[in-house]
Amino acid sequence: MNKSELQQHDREHLLHPFTDFSDLGKQGTRVITNADGAYISDIDGHRMLDGMSGLWCCNLGYSRNEIADAVYEQLRTLPFYNSFFQCTTVPSIQLADALAEVTPAHMNNVFFTGSGSEANDTNLRLIRRYWDLKEQPEKRIVISRKNGYHGSTIAGASLGGMSGMHKQFQALDYIEHIQQPYWFGEGGDMSPEEFGIHAARCLDEKIQELGPEKVAAFIAEPIQGAGGVIIPPETYWPEVKKVLDQYDILLVMDEVIFGFGRTGEWFGADYYGMKPDLMTFAKAVTNGYFPLGGTMVGDRVAEVIKSRGGEFTHGYTYSAHPAACMAGLATINILRNENIIENVRDVTGPYLAKRWAELAEHPIVGEARSLGMVGALELVKDKGSRARFDDDCTAGGVCRDMSIKNGLVMRATGDTMIIAPPLIITTEQVDELVEKARRALDDTAKAMA
Ligand code: PXG
């Protein structure tokens, strides 16, 4: 099939995620055909620096045959077996061991799933089970944050705080949402430090309003990813820690985007010095080469679940899929053996921070922020008042298209442009990324004038 035939068949038979189907019909899809290192190419041969690591998952880029080989060999040896009914497989044991080693010291058990959304469903099940076994069944409410993203199953989307998603289904009624720590958008006249404390105190207020005896858990991404790379002010997590320490409430950190090195530490929890009870992961655990997710279970929860009461009635056919586990093992081996995360922390992360910050001087950029291997640009019409171009956030969409035209995959969340390049990006490629982003900004400024 040639390009237009592919697009026609795509239109006729494929329902894409998070897509306005009539829009897609008009424009036609971009057919991505191959990739290498930090680059992807489309069917027209247009090669682009992938500033989004696929969808926040190909942290090692696209050329790691060791991962593909590990999967292939496993598929030839034992393509599938389940981990129900007292059965197990060697890859699943090995990956569980490896995860216990690379995650925080108090996390030594894992429940495998097929995705991040499923893992957050698992978290809800574990939270309920834990409090039931502790004979505190009245602890049922889970506090989450507005504009957080936790997946697209009913549980994931209920935990998430995306208002557009909530309009299209009935959210679970035991989940409550509080203020997000988004200083640029919601901080008003407060300094970032004051606002960080303020956003954390919202958690305390919500717990008091609901009654601590009814609150089971607080879930949050260390940094909001899909919500727009919202890096909380430095005061936020220490204050959240203080609040949680006062009450008997579980902490779930959703590390689906920030796990496996994106901050320059293995997990966001390491970066912020937090001690979560549950930790969701997916995406980069296999470098995006095979679907796999899961939740790391801290000792406090694991001891109760493992030692008290009968069966935990939960599991998926593909929990601990052996080929997925081999992809995970191969990925973790590369991250460890090649000091990829240390390089982000010490070399490429600081370099990106320096170069990305230069974009703050651009006339349509209200803020340029970054941390480790993520960055965001706030597009504004007026820097002083932080006023946007319009209510429909057209500047973001224009800038995304201009960026792709200039050979860089950069995403738009409203009028916030975001990047999460592969962790293997070199300093020369960071230069290329910043130059292409600058050209996209120039083109956007012209188009919006
Ligand atoms: N938690 C977080 C923090 C995520 O970012 C999920 C859970 C769900 O994972 P699965 O594997 O079920 O998709 C995610 C997923 C975007 C985008 O537009 C982000 C995600 C998924 C799709 C699109 O940035 N994150």
Short mmCIF file of all heavy atoms in Angstrom, two decimals, residues 180-193 195-196 230-231 233 367 386:
data_model
loop_
_atom_site.label_atom_id
_atom_site.label_comp_id
_atom_site.label_asym_id
_atom_site.label_seq_id
_atom_site.Cartn_x
_atom_site.Cartn_y
_atom_site.Cartn_z
N GLN A 180 -3.28 21.21 42.02
CA GLN A 180 -1.97 20.75 41.52
C GLN A 180 -0.91 21.82 41.81
O GLN A 180 -1.25 23.00 41.93
CB GLN A 180 -2.06 20.50 40.02
CG GLN A 180 -2.49 21.74 39.23
CD GLN A 180 -2.43 21.56 37.72
OE1 GLN A 180 -1.64 20.77 37.23
NE2 GLN A 180 -3.25 22.30 37.00
N PRO A 181 0.36 21.43 41.88
CA PRO A 181 1.41 22.42 42.19
C PRO A 181 1.96 23.10 40.94
O PRO A 181 3.15 23.03 40.65
CB PRO A 181 2.49 21.56 42.87
CG PRO A 181 2.35 20.21 42.24
CD PRO A 181 0.89 20.05 41.87
N TYR A 182 1.08 23.76 40.18
CA TYR A 182 1.43 24.36 38.89
C TYR A 182 1.60 25.85 39.08
O TYR A 182 0.65 26.62 38.93
CB TYR A 182 0.30 24.03 37.90
CG TYR A 182 0.46 24.57 36.50
CD1 TYR A 182 1.71 24.81 35.93
CD2 TYR A 182 -0.67 24.82 35.73
CE1 TYR A 182 1.83 25.28 34.63
CE2 TYR A 182 -0.57 25.28 34.42
CZ TYR A 182 0.68 25.52 33.89
OH TYR A 182 0.79 25.99 32.60
N TRP A 183 2.82 26.26 39.42
CA TRP A 183 3.07 27.65 39.78
C TRP A 183 2.80 28.59 38.61
O TRP A 183 2.10 29.60 38.78
CB TRP A 183 4.50 27.84 40.29
CG TRP A 183 4.78 29.27 40.58
CD1 TRP A 183 4.33 29.99 41.65
CD2 TRP A 183 5.50 30.19 39.75
NE1 TRP A 183 4.74 31.30 41.55
CE2 TRP A 183 5.47 31.44 40.39
CE3 TRP A 183 6.18 30.07 38.55
CZ2 TRP A 183 6.08 32.57 39.87
CZ3 TRP A 183 6.80 31.19 38.01
CH2 TRP A 183 6.74 32.43 38.68
N PHE A 184 3.31 28.30 37.41
CA PHE A 184 3.16 29.25 36.30
C PHE A 184 1.69 29.51 36.00
O PHE A 184 1.28 30.63 35.74
CB PHE A 184 3.87 28.73 35.03
CG PHE A 184 3.82 29.73 33.91
CD1 PHE A 184 4.76 30.75 33.83
CD2 PHE A 184 2.81 29.68 32.96
CE1 PHE A 184 4.69 31.70 32.82
CE2 PHE A 184 2.73 30.63 31.94
CZ PHE A 184 3.69 31.64 31.88
N GLY A 185 0.88 28.44 36.06
CA GLY A 185 -0.53 28.59 35.68
C GLY A 185 -1.42 29.05 36.81
O GLY A 185 -2.44 29.70 36.58
N GLU A 186 -1.07 28.70 38.05
CA GLU A 186 -2.03 28.91 39.14
C GLU A 186 -1.44 29.60 40.38
O GLU A 186 -2.11 29.76 41.38
CB GLU A 186 -2.64 27.54 39.55
CG GLU A 186 -3.41 26.91 38.38
CD GLU A 186 -3.86 25.47 38.64
OE1 GLU A 186 -3.78 25.01 39.79
OE2 GLU A 186 -4.29 24.83 37.66
N GLY A 187 -0.15 29.97 40.28
CA GLY A 187 0.53 30.51 41.46
C GLY A 187 0.18 31.96 41.78
O GLY A 187 0.48 32.44 42.88
N GLY A 188 -0.42 32.67 40.81
CA GLY A 188 -0.80 34.07 41.04
C GLY A 188 0.38 34.91 41.51
O GLY A 188 1.47 34.84 40.93
N ASP A 189 0.18 35.66 42.60
CA ASP A 189 1.23 36.55 43.10
C ASP A 189 2.19 35.87 44.06
O ASP A 189 3.14 36.48 44.55
CB ASP A 189 0.60 37.75 43.82
CG ASP A 189 -0.19 38.61 42.85
OD1 ASP A 189 0.16 38.59 41.65
OD2 ASP A 189 -1.16 39.27 43.28
N MET A 190 1.94 34.60 44.37
CA MET A 190 2.82 33.92 45.33
C MET A 190 4.17 33.62 44.68
O MET A 190 4.25 33.40 43.47
CB MET A 190 2.20 32.58 45.77
CG MET A 190 1.09 32.72 46.79
SD MET A 190 0.53 31.07 47.31
CE MET A 190 -1.14 31.11 46.73
N SER A 191 5.23 33.55 45.48
CA SER A 191 6.51 33.07 44.96
C SER A 191 6.37 31.55 44.76
O SER A 191 5.49 30.92 45.38
CB SER A 191 7.63 33.36 45.97
OG SER A 191 7.46 32.54 47.11
N PRO A 192 7.22 30.94 43.92
CA PRO A 192 7.13 29.48 43.76
C PRO A 192 7.21 28.75 45.11
O PRO A 192 6.47 27.78 45.34
CB PRO A 192 8.33 29.14 42.88
CG PRO A 192 8.62 30.39 42.11
CD PRO A 192 8.24 31.52 43.03
N GLU A 193 8.08 29.23 46.00
CA GLU A 193 8.25 28.56 47.30
C GLU A 193 6.96 28.64 48.11
O GLU A 193 6.52 27.65 48.70
CB GLU A 193 9.41 29.20 48.10
CG GLU A 193 10.79 28.99 47.48
CD GLU A 193 11.02 29.81 46.20
OE1 GLU A 193 10.38 30.87 46.03
OE2 GLU A 193 11.83 29.35 45.36
N PHE A 195 3.98 29.09 46.96
CA PHE A 195 2.92 28.34 46.30
C PHE A 195 3.08 26.82 46.52
O PHE A 195 2.09 26.10 46.67
CB PHE A 195 2.90 28.66 44.80
CG PHE A 195 1.84 27.90 44.06
CD1 PHE A 195 0.49 28.17 44.29
CD2 PHE A 195 2.18 26.89 43.17
CE1 PHE A 195 -0.50 27.45 43.62
CE2 PHE A 195 1.20 26.17 42.50
CZ PHE A 195 -0.14 26.45 42.73
N GLY A 196 4.34 26.37 46.57
CA GLY A 196 4.59 24.94 46.84
C GLY A 196 4.02 24.53 48.18
O GLY A 196 3.37 23.47 48.32
N ILE A 230 4.81 19.49 34.76
CA ILE A 230 4.65 20.43 35.86
C ILE A 230 5.61 20.02 36.99
O ILE A 230 5.38 19.04 37.69
CB ILE A 230 3.18 20.48 36.30
CG1 ILE A 230 2.37 21.08 35.14
CG2 ILE A 230 3.01 21.29 37.59
CD1 ILE A 230 0.90 20.89 35.23
N ILE A 231 6.70 20.76 37.06
CA ILE A 231 7.74 20.47 38.06
C ILE A 231 7.35 21.23 39.31
O ILE A 231 7.28 22.46 39.30
CB ILE A 231 9.13 20.94 37.56
CG1 ILE A 231 9.45 20.28 36.19
CG2 ILE A 231 10.20 20.64 38.60
CD1 ILE A 231 10.66 20.89 35.47
N PRO A 233 7.29 23.27 42.80
CA PRO A 233 8.29 24.07 43.50
C PRO A 233 9.03 23.20 44.52
O PRO A 233 8.47 22.22 45.03
CB PRO A 233 7.46 25.14 44.22
CG PRO A 233 6.18 25.22 43.44
CD PRO A 233 5.93 23.84 42.91
N GLU A 367 7.82 31.01 30.25
CA GLU A 367 8.68 30.29 31.19
C GLU A 367 9.31 29.11 30.45
O GLU A 367 8.65 28.46 29.63
CB GLU A 367 7.89 29.74 32.38
CG GLU A 367 8.77 29.04 33.41
CD GLU A 367 7.99 28.44 34.59
OE1 GLU A 367 7.31 27.40 34.39
OE2 GLU A 367 8.07 28.99 35.69
N ARG A 386 1.53 36.97 31.65
CA ARG A 386 1.40 35.54 31.33
C ARG A 386 0.16 35.25 30.49
O ARG A 386 -0.35 34.14 30.49
CB ARG A 386 1.32 34.67 32.60
CG ARG A 386 2.53 34.78 33.51
CD ARG A 386 2.35 33.85 34.71
NE ARG A 386 3.29 34.18 35.78
CZ ARG A 386 3.19 33.73 37.02
NH1 ARG A 386 2.20 32.92 37.36
NH2 ARG A 386 4.08 34.06 37.92
#
